[in-house]
Each structure stands twice: as C-alpha cells, then as structure tokens.
Amino acid sequence: MAVKNIVVHICPFESNVRSTREFLVMVGSEKARSTSINCEVMTEVKHDQSEPLVDITFMDGERLMMKGARLTIKEMLTALQSRCVAKDPRPKLPPRSSPTQNTLIELFCVGICKCL
Amino acid sequence: MFFRVPSCFERRNCNRCLTYDARPPFQRFLTKMAATLCGRLLPKQGWLPLTQSVRHGSKAVTRHRKPMHILKQKLMAITEYIPPKPAAPPGALTPRVKPVQEESGLVLLLKKDLQTMFQDCKMIAVIQNNATNSEDMLLLKHRLHKHGIKIKFIPNQVMRSYLADSPYINMGPLFIGQTVLFVSKEPKVKEMLLSLRTSPQMVLLGACIEKILLSRQGVLNYAKLPSVTVVQGELVSGLTMLTSQTASMLQRHPAHLSLILQQYLKQQAPAGSTNGTPGESPPKAEETA
C-alpha cells in the first residue's frame, strides 16, 4: 500500500531495455494490480535513444528512480521490495494468514526473486 | 646379577645403559615371557619392567645419504629434467561449435505465414501486453475484428529469425518479452488506437505501416493525417498558387486598361444619348459590348 504510482520510460528500439520491459510485465500483472488498486502503472514509449527509467513514487512523497540500462530484473524487484518493506514493516504473520493482508506487490516481488 | 636400568626415554640410543643377566637361560626366558605378557599390566600399576633390553652399539638407521659434492650438486641442478608442458586438451582452445539445429516444421510454417502476412498486410503493429486477462483480450479481439484487424501470437524466436533474413531487420529489437501483433490489410490506425485506449495494459511499441517502420509517435502522427483526396487537393492548390499569382500579375495591366476603357465608354454613353437620338445609343452600346 506504500506505492502511489509507477512510471516506466522506455525506448523499445534500444537494446538495453530487456530488464525494464520485464519489470513492467511483472508490475503490471493482474495479481499485483488487483490488490494495489491505488497504484497506477503508466508507460511512456519514446524514441529519443534515452536510457530506460523506472520512476516510482511512494505515498509519503519519496521517489525511487531506477535506471534500468545496467540492472537486472531481480535487482530492480529486490530494491522495490526492500523499500516497500522498510516503509510498511509488518510483524511476522503466522503461516495460515490470508495473503491479502500483505501487499501483493511485495509478495509478488519475493516470489519472482525466488523463482529467478 | 643385573644392574638396575634407569627408566629414561633415551634408553634406546643410550650406550651407557646395559644389563648383564647371569641367570640361567630358562629363567631368562620365563622372565621375558612374563614381561611380554605382563607388559600391559605393569605400566598401569606403576611398576617398571624387570628387564629392559637395550641394544648396545647398534642403531636403527644405519645407511645415511652421503652429502653430495657442491660441483655435483650444481651439475645435477643444471641437468635437471624439465618435463614438457602438456598441451591443452583439444576441446579447450577451439571455440565450441554449436550444432546448427534444423528448424522444425512448425517454425517453417510460421515463417511462411509471416512472409504472406508481410506481403499482404499494410499495417503490422507490435504491442506489448502486460499480462492481460482473457476477458479483456476477448473484448479487444472482438472490437478489432469489427475493423478487420487480426491479433497474432508468434514466438519471439521465430519472429527474430524471420526478420533477420528479411528487409524488416530493424524491427528485431521490438520483439522482447510478451509481444502481440496486430495486423490488418488496410492501415486503420485511428480505430486501433481507440481500442487500445480502453486497455491500459497493452502498450504500443511500434508499427510497420505501408512498409515504413514507425515509432509510437510516428503512428500517432500518422493517425492525425487527413485522407488522401484532401491531401491531394492541398498539394495541387499549393503548387498552382504560384503559377496563378504569376498569371494574375501578367494580366493585371490589360485588365486594368479594359476596366478604364469600359468606364470611359460608360461616361461617353450618357453624354452621347443626351446629344444624339435615343435610337443611336443602343446600337453604340451593342457595338462596345
């Protein structure tokens, strides 16, 4: 619930956009969006040979900008997840708790990091 | 009689210690037997063995290496055998040649389809879908079908291998991740953009319209263009504007002169009608007209 909006700037004709595009797929997925309804995911497609950029604005006004040219998707997801957890620390819930209590973006990021 | 042996640790190499046993041999043997049998027990109790046999004047190691003469040492060092370096195994240095995989039948079929598609369709748009669910996809399909736009799902590998051999090689970088193709025979860009506006997960990356590769901005500009007839009319008017200006400039003086003459005649005609007969004025007016 800490993320306000996510803006992704990409130039699809460049060769260094793979991780940013994959990040966009992960963050824009149905699962992540359905629980964090307040969070808007916007994409800006440009053609000016600029570097791919992910601009995340949190509820408290803090901004996280990730330049995805040299980052892997795992790094980007762990960075986002660590910041979400730092902003919204929840006590360790018992294993039988329902998944909607945690932010699904965080859970998704953790799940994806484990899979990768 | 025999002497008491000191229980020192250097008993083995100590030449000073010795025993002389004057007992008869059988007794000696029994003592030795007892010593071997009770050898384990006595040390536990703290007793020293009765007899300890020590070698006198004899050593365990008798053959020592003779120190080499310095000249021989030098010679040996110089003539030391240096084994040749083992060559690298044959698989280490040569680059690993990947076996060229033959393309399967499905891939060949898909490539044929792609070829016909690129030949027939004037508009091929590449869209990235960020995990659209099936309902939205169905709705979008239905909406686009009304305008004759088809949705194609082709694996990226096949696409990239086809594009590498075709003149559309620059479209290659677009096909990363989840991509969908919108193809249509007529370039119906406006309708496509309207349909995409309703689904925010589908992101337009680029399009090949009438064999010209366009970015997203290019597609938007293309959509804003007017129809062909309007554009042709504008072009014709623009071209003829200059020539019409020249023609009007050339005809300005004769036109001006003719206007002046007409005005003069008009001025002359009322003056002539008051002086002459009224019947004369209409034929004169007819002549001048």
Side-chain angles (χ1 to χ4, degrees), chain A residues 82-110:
Chain A
S82 63
R83 291 218 171 35
C84 285
V85 165
K87 290 204 183 292
D88 201 4
R90 291 179 190 272
K92 267 192 177 175
L93 296 164
R96 284 198 186 170
S97 66
S98 61
T100 50
Q101 286 183 19
N102 290 335
T103 316
L104 258 184
I105 280 185
E106 295 160 16
L107 275 177
F108 206 70
C109 294
V110 169

Side-chain angles (χ1 to χ4, degrees), chain B residues 45-116:
Chain B
Q45 291 165 11
W47 285 88
L48 289 167
L50 296 164
T51 53
Q52 289 171 19
S53 53
V54 176
R55 276 192 234 168
H56 167 60
S58 63
K59 304 234 172 120
V61 179
T62 52
R63 288 177 211 176
H64 300 282
R65 235 179 282 170
K66 199 171 159 184
M68 221 186 268
H69 195 273
I70 183 69
L71 288 174
K72 191 176 177 187
Q73 265 182 22
K74 284 181 183 174
L75 200 70
M76 294 292 282
I78 289 163
T79 57
E80 204 172 323
Y81 172 64
I82 299 166
K85 256 189 188 173
L93 293 172
T94 53
R96 216 191 282 178
V97 175
K98 278 184 195 169
V100 177
Q101 277 181 339
E102 274 183 23
E103 287 172 343
S104 68
L106 178 65
V107 171
L108 289 169
L109 191 70
L110 283 170
K111 278 191 172 176
K112 264 190 194 172
D113 282 345
L114 277 172
Q115 203 174 15
T116 47

